[in-house]
Amino acid sequence: MSENLKLAIQKKGRLHDKSIQLLKSCGIDIENFQDRLFISSPNFNLDILFLRDDDIPEYVQDNVAHIGIVGENVMLEKGLNVDPVKKLGFGKCSLMLGIPEKDDLKDIKDIEGKTIATSYPKILNGFLHENTINAKVIQISGSVEIAPSLGVADYICDLVSTGNTLKLNKLKKSFKVLDSQAILIKSKKLDENVNLKNIFDKLLIRIESSLNARKSKYIMMNVPKESLEKIIEIIPSLKSPTILPLSVEGLYAVHAVIKEDKFWEINEDLKEAGASGILSLPIENIIL
Ligand code: ATP
Ligand code: ZN
């Protein structure tokens, strides 16, 4: 029997559910994975390894897992020899500088000479270097946000989404160091194995079609003949819209695939131009 492609995903945490969801949206069955370290899909040549996110880049570098899903923040911080393949659109967060509420940082250069606590010393040092700033970076592995109140550091640099954790510790957001999201990474050695490379190429096509679909909507509406031309002008369709005559004389159904964010933008214009019964439906996959 030929070898399966091995994918490493987070065992538990912020990226776990969305990683599973992505695979399912690619038609890959995953069963009984609770509390397992390793499973094989019954309908695709894929084995899934469940790991701590911090360990994923190393497993992929060593080709123990051929591919992995991990935050860009972790990928960059580890700085290992893996290929980034595709940003996946979930797990979005920012690595930001957090400063005491009473402080005021107007210019990035004002960090000069300060002490910053972080779990991301490599990324932060890169950022400081790029901005030609000298600051002292202290590495802390958890609860970075208490460092200023303990007097260990002036500022912190940590992952932030809402900023609530900062607020609880009398800190506020300051400069952004990095925008991050989940990314598919791949071992440099994967291409040497033709069988695995083929499985990977198939998987990547499915992932791309699922991501394309997520960003799109299928829209339908009824349009009187005299409004057709105007409506077609308004619709920013992927391809030209489909126009079907209805049983009522002079009335047409117009179907199109559009980018999701455009739907609300054009909704009013469509109504004004004479469209009625405007529907939008989710799409599962788009093979371009
Ligand atoms: P593990 O047990 O796997 O080491 P963890 O505690 O390091 O888990 P999580 O808190 O589950 O990690 O976060 C995993 C990833 O989710 C982060 O590395 C980051 O890429 C992403 N993420 C998205 N939003 C946030 C957020 N608000 N705070 C922290 N991480 C976030
Ligand atoms: Zn972790």
Side-chain angles (χ1 to χ4, degrees), residues 63-74:
N63 209 34
V64 177
H66 308 111
I67 57 174
I69 295 176
V70 74
E72 288 178 286
N73 52 311
V74 173

Side-chain angles (χ1 to χ4, degrees), residues 204-266:
L204 188 58
I205 289 172
R206 293 197 191 186
I207 289 177
E208 281 171 345
S209 82
S210 166
L211 295 178
N212 283 333
R214 232 172 259 188
K215 285 182 272 168
S216 303
K217 287 269 177 224
Y218 193 84
I219 58 165
M220 301 193 272
M221 69 208 77
N222 294 335
V223 179
K225 189 171 188 189
E226 62 275 15
S227 306
L228 273 179
E229 209 173 317
K230 194 133 186 250
I231 295 283
I232 291 163
E233 253 171 49
I234 297 170
I235 298 175
S237 176
L238 274 185
K239 293 243 167 68
S240 85
T242 307
I243 299 168
L244 305 161
L246 294 176
S247 53
V248 179
E249 179 75 26
L251 198 59
Y252 291 81
V254 175
H255 294 196
V257 175
I258 63 163
K259 294 281 168 222
E260 182 172 34
D261 52 351
K262 292 278 180 241
F263 180 68
W264 294 108
E265 247 174 61
I266 62 168

Side-chain angles (χ1 to χ4, degrees), residues 10 12-15 51-54 71 73-74 91-93 120 159-161 180:
Q10 194 187 23
K12 217 164 57 188
R14 290 185 154 101
L15 301 180
L51 302 173
R52 282 200 57 202
D53 65 347
D54 313 71
N73 52 311
V74 173
K92 289 189 176 166
C93 57
Y120 295 90
L159 291 179
V160 175
S161 46
S180 176

Side-chain angles (χ1 to χ4, degrees), residues 264-276:
W264 294 108
E265 247 174 61
I266 62 168
N267 204 356
E268 287 300 316
D269 295 345
L270 290 172
K271 266 197 271 175
E272 243 167 62
S276 61

